[in-house]
Amino acid sequence: MSSGLLDEEQRGKIISGSRIVHLDLKGAPLKLSYLEKIFPVLKKWGCTGILIEYEDTFPYDEDISILAAPHAYSKEEIRHIGQSLKTLEMSVIPLIQTFGHFEFVLKHKEFVSLREVEKYPMALCPSNTECLELIFKMLDQVMKLHPDVTHFHIGCDEVFHLGICDKCISLMRQESIGKDQLFFAHVKKVAAYLKDNYPQIEACIVWDDMFRYAELSAVLNCNLGDIVEPMVWYYQPSFQLPANLWDNLSSVFPNIWIASAFKGATGPTAMVTNVNFHLDNHFAWFGILKTVSQKFKSIKGITLTGWQRYDHYAVLCELFPEGLPSLAVCLKFIQQGSLTSEDVKSVSQDLEFTSALPFDPMSCTWIPSCTFPGSAVYQLVIELCHLHRACNFFFSVDGISGWMNDYNVHRGHINPVHIEPLHARAESLLQSCLCVDERLGPAFSDVFAPGVLEEWRGCFVVPLLSKLEHFLAKAKAFVAHG
């Protein structure tokens, strides 16, 4: 690991800055009682603040109340979260999408007219003045419950549909601008609104990806350097960012943030967090910072992202408790710029592991023994993943494909001698899955708001149970009658 370490001066540029943990609450809000257990632990591990991505879990009201999901927090709960973090001397950075990833708004029929592309609910139309009116209402309601924040994240990543509608094409033609300028103009309007109306906000944060491939001239003339701070995100162990990105950004922005990942970046249906993958991502970040940190006045801090789902329409991926060991290890690493066996031992003790903390839970044959907040969810998900693997192997064995394929079943051309052991194995797998399923309810109820379990079971448990039960129904008939 030594090749990726920063010297003391370089390390200070990021380690002395903010170490922010991202809470992605899209469709899976964590219970207030659970957050109260987690915040002090994060503080102990070196976290200095929380980036809260509310999406539909914020209690929007009045004429935009439709944006709040049934499981949204109450206003009292939002205030309580803010006060809890303030007591711990941890900052809060709200994240509200204001351009792309606007699905939770644009999916509603009341706001279809605000879409850039009528059939797609991802991006709003920056040429439609009603979009800004809606965004300003959202920002005002969030600021009302977070009056002390000094930074506000306005999203603006992955605006895949831009400059397509008739309004945008007409505006670009009239003003002789391209899509890059159209994007930057909207960002400036949103950021300026926050800065003008809430003077305590030092800067607005935006994801950097729409800057990465923009024309340099557009970046140089965007006039955002004094009100916006890009957050450069990259979640892979090996970097493939444009070589000129850092020079382009530093020519306009004196201050930037970076964003790594502690979970939720290995696939939209991933259930288990591979600590090695995310530790390698942080390791790679430190290697990059050795060469680029001097280009900026400051790197304001690092945000460890933990995505709950890839977008509003995606299934839930790695649940928060599943990523907590990874978060602990990664926070320890970025605090020090290194990770020793003693550090891992310390983290294991904090998480109350009595067995080894697995850096890749799917490579070990045991279910980890631990008692940290949410550990029951952590253990059950790992157990279910092992069962998924066992079932996938079972359904691929020659006994099924060779003697119990659909054609033979349809003809009734089955020899019970081949089916009996398959029936027994399927029955054993089903009972194991049912055992996990029975324990999910109490485990989830300690961590998540109502409704999260129903979705997670529907995506990851029910299909497996149905597949086993369907197979057993077929096999049982042939075992009984020969």
Side-chain angles (χ1 to χ4, degrees):
M1 289 188 178
S2 59
S3 63
L5 300 185
L6 304 174
D7 60 36
E8 186 173 349
E9 180 181 354
Q10 291 170 322
R11 190 163 61 246
K13 274 210 164 189
I14 181 169
I15 304 306
S16 63
S18 298
R19 294 180 293 274
I20 306 296
V21 170
H22 170 231
L23 289 184
D24 178 17
L25 302 174
K26 290 197 289 287
L30 299 165
K31 276 189 171 180
L32 196 61
S33 56
Y34 181 74
L35 290 173
E36 288 175 337
K37 297 174 185 176
I38 290 298
F39 288 153
V41 179
L42 298 184
K43 171 78 171 182
K44 179 181 179 181
W45 292 337
C47 172
T48 64
I50 302 295
L51 175 66
I52 305 182
E53 183 162 1
Y54 287 113
E55 210 199 47
D56 60 356
T57 65
F58 187 85
Y60 293 105
D61 61 10
E62 298 175 351
D63 58 340
I64 58 172
S65 60
I66 193 173
L67 303 182
H71 51 242
Y73 293 104
S74 67
K75 292 181 180 180
E76 291 71 25
E77 287 174 321
I78 298 294
R79 292 191 184 97
H80 188 87
I81 289 172
Q83 185 57 50
S84 297
L85 291 169
K86 186 175 182 179
T87 300
L88 291 167
E89 298 182 335
M90 296 168 69
S91 63
V92 178
I93 304 176
L95 193 164
I96 302 299
Q97 288 286 3
T98 59
F99 208 155
H101 284 301
F102 216 49
E103 296 96 334
F104 82 102
V105 176
L106 298 179
K107 71 177 183 180
H108 296 289
K109 65 180 185 296
E110 291 87 346
F111 301 116
V112 168
S113 63
L114 305 185
R115 296 178 179 182
E116 177 68 14
V117 179
E118 185 177 359
K119 66 186 290 189
Y120 300 137
M122 288 91 83
L124 55 77
C125 170
S127 303
N128 188 333
T129 57
E130 293 181 14
C131 290
L132 284 175
E133 294 172 8
L134 171 61
I135 289 169
F136 295 162
K137 288 179 183 179
M138 295 168 62
L139 297 179
D140 286 340
Q141 291 193 16
V142 174
M143 284 300 301
K144 187 174 182 179
L145 296 184
H146 291 293
D148 301 324
V149 300
T150 59
H151 288 79
F152 200 112
H153 201 311
I154 58 174
C156 299
D157 60 318
E158 298 183 334
V159 185
F160 296 130
H161 302 131
L162 176 65
I164 297 173
C165 75
D166 292 341
K167 285 184 179 179
C168 286
I169 292 173
S170 176
L171 179 65
M172 289 189 294
R173 185 181 297 116
Q174 291 173 11
E175 300 189 5
S176 299
I177 61 174
K179 293 184 179 181
D180 292 338
Q181 291 93 336
L182 189 67
F183 171 81
F184 292 135
H186 178 79
V187 172
K188 186 173 183 179
K189 291 172 185 175
V190 175
Y193 179 84
L194 280 168
K195 289 276 288 181
D196 292 344
N197 289 276
Y198 304 97
Q200 72 271 29
I201 293 181
E202 298 172 12
C204 292
I205 302 172
V206 293
W207 298 117
D208 82 292
D209 55 278
M210 295 299 291
F211 293 82
R212 291 181 192 178
Y213 304 102
E215 294 289 337
L216 177 58
S217 59
V219 177
L220 291 173
N221 295 311
C222 68
N223 298 316
L224 291 171
D226 58 343
I227 60 173
V228 162
E229 294 173 347
M231 181 174 281
V232 183
W233 60 271
Y234 203 79
Y235 309 143
Q236 302 298 312
S238 59
F239 270 67
Q240 296 180 355
L241 291 171
N244 61 350
L245 172 65
W246 307 104
D247 287 333
N248 289 359
L249 290 179
S250 62
S251 64
V252 176
F253 303 100
N255 304 308
I256 65 166
W257 300 69
I258 65 170
S260 58
F262 72 90
K263 78 174 188 75
T266 58
T269 61
M271 288 188 281
V272 172
T273 303
N274 185 326
V275 180
N276 285 321
F277 180 92
H278 298 291
L279 185 58
D280 287 346
N281 172 234
H282 288 85
F283 204 39
W285 260 118
F286 274 28
I288 290 292
L289 290 173
K290 288 176 67 175
T291 60
V292 306
S293 59
Q294 67 274 13
K295 296 179 183 293
F296 300 91
K297 177 182 177 182
S298 73
I299 296 175
K300 298 286 287 289
I302 181 171
T303 293
L304 295 84
T305 64
W307 300 99
Q308 196 68 70
R309 60 173 96 234
Y310 274 35
D311 68 27
H312 184 78
Y313 286 93
V315 299
L316 291 168
C317 54
E318 300 155 61
L319 299 170
F320 184 82
E322 199 61 34
L324 199 55
S326 173
L327 177 56
V329 169
C330 292
L331 276 170
K332 178 69 73 172
F333 175 76
I334 64 171
Q335 214 177 351
Q336 303 174 167
S338 63
L339 189 72
T340 67
S341 57
E342 286 301 311
D343 294 328
V344 176
K345 182 179 179 181
S346 173
V347 169
S348 297
Q349 290 174 344
D350 287 342
L351 293 168
E352 299 185 48
F353 274 87
T354 55
S355 60
L357 189 162
F359 275 46
D360 181 5
M362 291 308 295
S363 68
C364 59
T365 57
W366 70 91
I367 305 301
S369 175
C370 49
T371 54
F372 62 83
S375 59
V377 172
Y378 171 81
Q379 292 166 317
L380 287 169
V381 171
I382 293 174
E383 188 174 347
L384 184 67
C385 281
H386 282 292
L387 285 169
H388 268 274
R389 177 180 288 179
C391 288
N392 288 338
F393 176 78
F394 170 73
F395 284 108
S396 68
V397 298
D398 287 344
I400 293 178
S401 60
W403 281 269
M404 200 175 167
N405 61 40
D406 290 342
Y407 181 72
N408 282 6
V409 169
H410 180 71
R411 294 169 61 209
H413 187 66
I414 299 292
N415 184 345
V417 73
H418 297 297
I419 308 308
E420 287 174 354
L422 296 174
H423 181 277
R425 177 58 177 152
E427 183 63 39
S428 175
L429 289 169
L430 177 61
Q431 292 306 314
S432 295
C433 291
L434 288 171
C435 182
V436 170
D437 192 30
E438 290 173 0
R439 290 176 283 156
L440 286 174
F444 271 63
S445 67
D446 288 339
V447 177
F448 297 104
V452 177
L453 175 61
E454 179 183 0
E455 178 185 352
W456 199 84
R457 283 189 70 251
C459 292
F460 298 108
V461 183
V462 173
L464 186 61
L465 293 175
S466 298
K467 188 173 183 179
L468 287 167
E469 289 168 347
H470 179 67
F471 174 84
L472 281 167
K474 291 191 298 181
K476 184 177 181 181
F478 290 111
V479 169
H481 302 294

